[in-house]
Amino acid sequence: AEIWVNDERKGIRSWTGNLESGNYKIECKKANHETSTKYLEITNQMKGKTFNLNAPTPICGSLNVETNPDYAELFIDGKKMGETPIIISELLIGKHEVKLTKANYADYTETITIAQGETKTVKAALNNSTTVRFSCNADNAMLYVDGKALGSASGSYELGYGNHSLKVTAEGYDDYTSSFTVSPDNTACAISMKAKFDN
């Protein structure tokens, strides 16, 4: 918080200095807070005296966060606040970054602005799938994901976030098996199959 004397900024949190005898307006200011003000009459007898100011009062609104599905972790400006659904009853006015995370779902982020006395509502549908692009060195290869045939092993398919088992078959090639983890940062899979050789 800033210390102001007669509308002149003097310091942060505390200030020590000389004042001539007279009347003064002393303020304690902080962004998004109501200013604390004290009026003082300074005399020569007050030399060395300490005055304590009340802290500025936070100006708040509220935030209501709902997600589909429930039980996503809520972070506001990087600080964990709990799980959805949740109501934050006192949130400072101004801009805040809302982030929602849940295992096997893509993160959700939104910048919101809270006004005094307002209840802001965020409703987020969390996405648990994305398009994954597969490429394979065998033109006639067939792709199976979690035991289900999807089609050509060189193509794009919608898959859920998390771990999946892969199997690729192609005439003239050894079967290919592996696992693949789909995430927002991992949406491409290159498959290299080994050709069979006649004995």
Side-chain angles (χ1 to χ4, degrees):
E2 298 178 344
I3 306 298
W4 289 66
V5 177
N6 284 356
D7 300 320
E8 181 181 347
R9 183 179 181 274
K10 293 292 188 178
I12 296 176
R13 193 172 182 180
S14 65
W15 175 71
T16 301
N18 296 319
L19 293 176
E20 295 180 356
S21 297
N23 295 313
Y24 292 88
K25 179 176 72 171
I26 314 297
E27 296 173 293
C28 189
K29 297 183 178 183
K30 188 174 181 180
N32 301 333
H33 289 64
E34 289 187 6
T35 299
S36 166
T37 305
K38 179 178 284 191
Y39 294 92
L40 297 175
E41 182 179 355
I42 302 298
T43 65
N44 292 332
Q45 290 74 32
M46 291 180 177
K47 184 175 182 180
K49 186 174 178 60
T50 298
F51 295 95
N52 293 316
L53 302 176
N54 293 327
T57 305
I59 304 173
C60 296
S62 301
L63 176 64
N64 174 38
V65 183
E66 303 171 8
T67 58
N68 182 18
D70 290 340
Y71 308 118
E73 290 187 345
L74 169 65
F75 295 82
I76 298 178
D77 301 326
K79 181 180 178 181
K80 185 176 179 180
M81 304 299 290
E83 291 188 338
T84 61
I86 188 172
I87 296 176
I88 308 299
S89 58
E90 291 188 354
L91 187 60
L92 278 179
I93 61 171
K95 288 188 176 182
H96 299 277
E97 182 184 82
V98 172
K99 182 178 181 181
L100 296 159
T101 66
K102 187 176 176 68
N104 296 327
Y105 287 81
D107 292 349
Y108 176 94
T109 57
E110 180 180 344
T111 299
I112 61 167
T113 301
I114 297 293
Q116 184 174 7
E118 173 193 28
T119 297
K120 180 84 171 181
T121 297
V122 172
K123 293 184 177 182
L126 304 182
N127 183 17
N128 67 342
S129 66
T130 191
T131 300
V132 179
R133 182 174 55 84
F134 292 91
S135 59
C136 182
N137 62 325
D139 293 337
N140 58 341
M142 175 66 70
L143 172 66
Y144 297 81
V145 175
D146 300 327
K148 180 182 178 181
L150 294 188
S152 171
S154 293
S156 296
Y157 304 96
E158 189 80 7
L159 294 180
Y161 289 109
N163 294 321
H164 298 275
S165 62
L166 305 181
K167 181 179 180 181
V168 181
T169 61
E171 187 176 347
Y173 292 84
D174 292 332
D175 287 353
Y176 173 94
T177 58
S178 183
S179 62
F180 184 74
T181 301
V182 179
S183 70
D185 300 321
N186 196 30
T187 58
C189 181
I191 299 166
S192 180
M193 299 188 70
K194 184 178 179 181
K196 292 180 178 180
F197 295 98
D198 293 332
N199 293 326

